[in-house]
Amino acid sequence: MGAFEELESIFRPRSIAVVGASANRDSPGYDYVLSLVQYGYKGQIYPVNPRLEELLGWQAYPKLEAVPGPVEYVISCIPNTAVLSLVEECGRKGVKALQLFTARFSETGREEGRRLEGDILARARQVGVRIIGPNCMGLHHPEEGITFRPDMIAPAGEIGFLSQSGNLLFELNYQGRVRGLYFSKAISYGNGLDLDECDFLRYFARDPQTKVIGAYIEGVKDGRRFLSALREAALAKPTVVLKGGRTQGGGRAASSHTAALAGSYAVWEAAVRQAGAIPVRSTEELMDLLIAFVRLPPARGGRIGVVGGGGGRSVLAADRCEEEGLTTPPLTPRIQEHIALKAPELAGWVTNPVDQSILAGSGVGGTEVLALMAEDPEYDALIAILGEPWALGRPNAEAILRRVAQRFMAVASRTSKPVAVVVNPADYEEGWQWRLLQEVRREMVAAGMAVFPSVDRAIVALARFMRYWEERG
């Protein structure tokens, strides 16, 4: 069996045992079983604990070898001192992969933890069991109904994600799913004792369910092997990488988190770029770029049309575009003539970015200008802004916002250009305002649009997105 086929079978186990399953609702041994049940896992679930008879409708067993049928994947929620014996059991049972939620190994910085980790790896290789972790949350595969937290449930998507941190993976799911950030498959691999970032990068490069690859990495064991795997992934698909442990303080935290060795970030960033991947420095940048790559059509050039901002916002949008290497070309003669015909008093006044406050009451709407920009070859991509405070203060705000949102979606559906939509964060004091923004955002995400929480974040993401396609000719 090849490397891809081996990982494919690990991502699609027909049976899962949770060793250390528990009836305590605040324990990981309970959460893992509950997650599989709630997510609709169709394979066999085997809770393993000598003090349990059943858990969530599934019969429990006193030990792994007491399970009557085959077990392909095992999740360990037991103390680290019992893991070596569990590896032996997995070998006798014919288990393909053992995922160690169990922690307190090399990440503690203690010699006994490192030694135990080494013993576990040596024994696992002897008995033919692959190790995921230790100190990790494991698999998230929506199509198979596999996840590691009851609140990780989300639709299947096109993003393959590998992460040394389980919590960061959860945060991306939790914060990103309202914007349509959905995973094809994802893996939290912790210390990466056996299967590591290189294995998962190569797997996602070949995975037909994955369109875009994202990664959170704190450190790598073999720089040459990592760059080779990263190059392979980046040649196949857009690959976005967030590095943890970029500073001295972050490096100390990374070491205690997953035993990762941090190095010079400047060297790292240069190497990632050379491999063809995109380095980012925050979860916000990571999330925005992943959304751009799965929800926007490829585009080259840097000429941006911006509509919907008012007053100073339009000026700041132009500034930010230029700072990011984009341009905001003036309105073309064709668009200027259209405005002059419908609103003579605005002739020669309106420019790009389009100040929505100038258009108010003129008979020319911002979405009308956006539609003209979408048809005009002088603009490579568009940014449409919705939900600014000045708009929400209008007496007919709800009707306006819903109408504008529908028109934005109509423009996006008719053009092959990227349309990045800005829906301001729903952090207004009035309940109806934030509920309205949430509803509008939900409708636009359901329509397949790339939605961003601020103009700045939309511009930064669009600039890096378009630069990526420009560099690829």
Side-chain angles (χ1 to χ4, degrees), residues 37 98 151 323 342 351 358 365 426 454:
V37 171
L98 169 59
D151 45 2
E323 288 167 354
K342 294 194 68 175
T351 187
I358 294 176
S454 74

Side-chain angles (χ1 to χ4, degrees), residues 19 63-65 76 78-93 98 116 119-120 123 127:
V19 178
K63 59 182 182 177
L64 182 62
E65 289 180 285
S76 167
I78 59 177
N80 63 352
T81 52
V83 169
L84 199 53
S85 296
L86 178 58
V87 172
E88 300 273 3
E89 268 197 279
C90 287
R92 292 191 294 269
K93 190 68 178 169
L98 169 59
L116 181 55
D119 292 344
I120 288 168
R123 194 67 190 119
V127 300

